[in-house]
Amino acid sequence: MKAVILVGGEGTRLRPLTCNITKAMMPVLNKPFLEHLLAYLKRHGVTDIILAMSYLPHHIKDYFGDGAKTGVRLSYLIEEEPLGTAGAVKNAERYLDETFLMLNGDIFTDLDITAMINFHRERKAVATIAVTPVDDPTAYGLIETDAGGRITRFLEKPGWEEVTTNRINAGIYVLEPDILARIPPKKTVSIERETFQQLLARGKPMYAYSSTAYWLDMGTPEKYLRLNYDLLLGKAPSLFNATGGVQIGGGSQIDPSAKIEAPVLIGEGCVIGRGVKIKGPTVLGPECEIAEGASIEGAVLWNNVRVGKRAILRNCIAADHCQIHEASQVMDNCVLGDKVVVGKNNKLAQGTRIRPNKRIAPGSISS
Ligand code: GDD
Ligand code: MG
């Protein structure tokens, strides 16, 4: 079975992390997000995959090529202008002549796709949508069904007063190719807001496949941190074999006086100085340097991040080539874009987001 993965969104809510790369290429445990998704599909025997791209497509193509090193076969489609979720799959029509899968490219799950495909076939549905329970359905597409699981209503991003169920569209679909005939070509169309509503109005059989498997939409920096923590803490064991320990990449040098409290993943070629404290769950990308006496807890650092002496990082994200100088503090849910330089003696409070390449002068931010 073929799969179309939608990886064309701009990842607006994840800025500044998505200023220079797409959401699909953001590192999760030091591998691009999309690599995890491809491995998941491969485990279910789905190896013929079409990537529907728009925003910054070249990084994806350069990294994955024809897919061989990930064990899948990739085809690429680039939309000049984003075509929306239905427009993107319509654009892939020439590849799709039998039942196929469609996935949002920003979900992390171990939902049983094989069982979902069987469920779809048994019911002779035109569309089967995976649904999962969430605490806050207002950020998602709400799906109502009858007692037999047949979909009776879609409500995209409802207000709290409209919420009738906590089961939402999980962004995994099994679809029949006939539905593509209903989508106008070369137009921006939303499958959630338009195509599914039209199919429903025509009385077409659409079913919800319920799952309580691990599921997360990596839509915000908070969710991105949560995903890294969950995986390190072993909350999705079939997706990542968390050792619960400290994993250290080749060529890394750790001073014997450093205290590292699991679970921590350290990439290749890192240098950890004297008296450094690292408390998990924490991820250090390759080539990070942490100077003497610095303290890091619950952080995700990308490639080549430099942390100065006695700096403190807590529950934050720093993208490629950031520098946090001596005695500076970067606190809860702060997000630093690529190449941000935080001069010494600054204190970035909760939730601060700094755009790529910005240099913060020493001692200029104190709360
Ligand atoms: N190719 C292409 N073109 N891909 C797109 C486009 C486009 O124009 N617009 C969005 N995408 C991709 C995004 O990259 C993402 O992988 C996926 O489509 C969904 O877009 P999001 O922007 O992440 O949507 P959402 O998270 O707000 O809502 C969607 O996903 C939820 C589950 O995660 C909806 O499908 C909701 O109903 C659903 O609950
Ligand atoms: Mg999303």
Side-chain angles (χ1 to χ4, degrees):
M1 181 171 292
K2 290 182 182 168
V4 181
I5 308 183
L6 305 182
V7 285
E10 291 186 23
T12 323
R13 289 165 294 172
L14 280 159
R15 282 186 197 145
L17 299 170
T18 47
C19 290
N20 298 321
I21 54 168
T22 67
K23 220 177 343 185
M25 291 304 288
M26 283 174 53
V28 172
L29 306 185
N30 294 337
K31 270 195 234 165
F33 180 88
L34 184 58
E35 199 166 329
H36 295 276
L37 188 52
L38 295 179
Y40 162 70
L41 288 175
K42 185 168 178 260
R43 280 198 296 280
H44 284 277
V46 179
T47 52
D48 208 343
I49 296 165
I50 300 138
L51 295 177
M53 313 189 290
S54 176
Y55 178 67
L56 299 175
H58 304 294
H59 297 120
I60 299 182
K61 260 183 126 165
D62 291 349
Y63 184 88
F64 289 100
D66 62 4
K69 76 169 187 237
T70 325
V72 296
R73 203 163 79 227
L74 294 177
S75 310
Y76 295 97
L77 290 170
I78 303 181
E79 299 148 40
E80 305 255 301
E81 289 298 323
L83 290 171
T85 45
V89 73
K90 175 73 177 178
N91 199 35
E93 190 168 16
R94 64 181 178 277
Y95 293 98
L96 306 169
D97 48 10
E98 50 187 41
T99 310
F100 65 96
L101 280 165
M102 170 172 154
L103 292 102
N104 288 351
D106 60 349
I107 48 156
F108 215 101
T109 186
D110 59 2
L111 175 140
D112 188 346
I113 249 179
T114 312
M116 179 177 171
I117 294 166
N118 292 336
F119 172 98
H120 172 87
R121 292 210 161 113
E122 280 159 17
R123 281 162 188 74
K124 300 194 171 26
V126 298
T128 297
I129 301 177
V131 298
T132 188
V134 291
D135 293 337
D136 175 6
T138 61
Y140 304 101
L142 194 142
I143 293 196
E144 290 177 14
T145 63
D146 66 15
R150 190 163 168 157
I151 297 174
T152 51
R153 189 173 176 223
F154 291 96
L155 195 56
E156 192 63 19
K157 317 275 157 66
W160 267 112
E161 67 291 352
E162 297 172 294
V163 170
T164 50
T165 167
N166 67 343
R167 294 196 316 157
I168 58 101
N169 168 11
I172 305 176
Y173 314 93
V174 185
L175 302 172
E176 291 304 312
D178 317 353
I179 72 158
L180 298 172
R182 308 208 170 270
I183 305 170
K186 299 192 166 56
K187 282 215 169 118
T188 303
V189 185
S190 158
I191 202 159
E192 305 90 334
R193 292 177 194 274
E194 296 168 72
T195 316
F196 289 152
Q197 307 283 1
Q198 289 159 8
L199 291 168
L200 205 57
R202 288 191 166 82
K204 298 286 179 189
M206 301 172 74
Y207 281 85
Y209 175 79
S210 276
S211 167
T212 51
Y214 182 84
W215 182 89
L216 183 136
D217 165 313
M218 194 185 71
T220 61
E222 293 75 20
K223 291 277 176 57
Y224 174 73
L225 275 179
R226 168 62 39 216
L227 175 59
N228 282 275
Y229 295 171
D230 283 352
L231 294 175
L232 282 179
L233 292 167
K235 292 194 179 166
S238 62
L239 297 171
F240 178 71
N241 182 16
T243 61
V246 177
Q247 298 182 53
I248 301 170
S252 285
Q253 298 165 34
I254 319 270
D255 189 278
S257 64
K259 270 177 77 177
I260 305 181
E261 211 175 302
V264 172
L265 178 66
I266 296 177
E268 294 178 357
C270 291
V271 180
I272 315 279
R274 202 142 53 89
V276 165
K277 283 191 193 138
I278 302 179
K279 188 166 190 276
T282 281
V283 182
L284 267 53
E287 316 287 338
C288 285
E289 279 187 35
I290 317 297
E292 191 177 329
S295 169
I296 300 181
E297 176 178 349
V300 177
L301 311 185
W302 294 9
N303 293 349
N304 191 237
V305 173
R306 309 273 158 121
V307 178
K309 288 182 186 170
R310 299 186 315 283
I312 300 175
L313 272 61
R314 196 172 72 203
N315 303 335
C316 61
I317 307 161
D320 292 348
H321 311 294
C322 282
Q323 297 178 26
I324 297 108
H325 290 175
E326 195 174 329
S328 269
Q329 299 185 15
V330 182
M331 290 302 161
D332 300 311
N333 292 319
C334 282
V335 185
L336 311 183
D338 292 326
K339 297 186 182 159
V340 164
V341 178
V342 180
K344 64 181 186 180
N345 297 323
N346 279 297
K347 185 170 180 195
L348 303 192
Q350 192 169 358
T352 311
R353 295 192 189 196
I354 313 279
R355 65 174 160 76
N357 303 311
K358 169 98 179 152
R359 301 179 77 90
I360 300 175
S364 55
I365 302 179
S366 59
S367 64

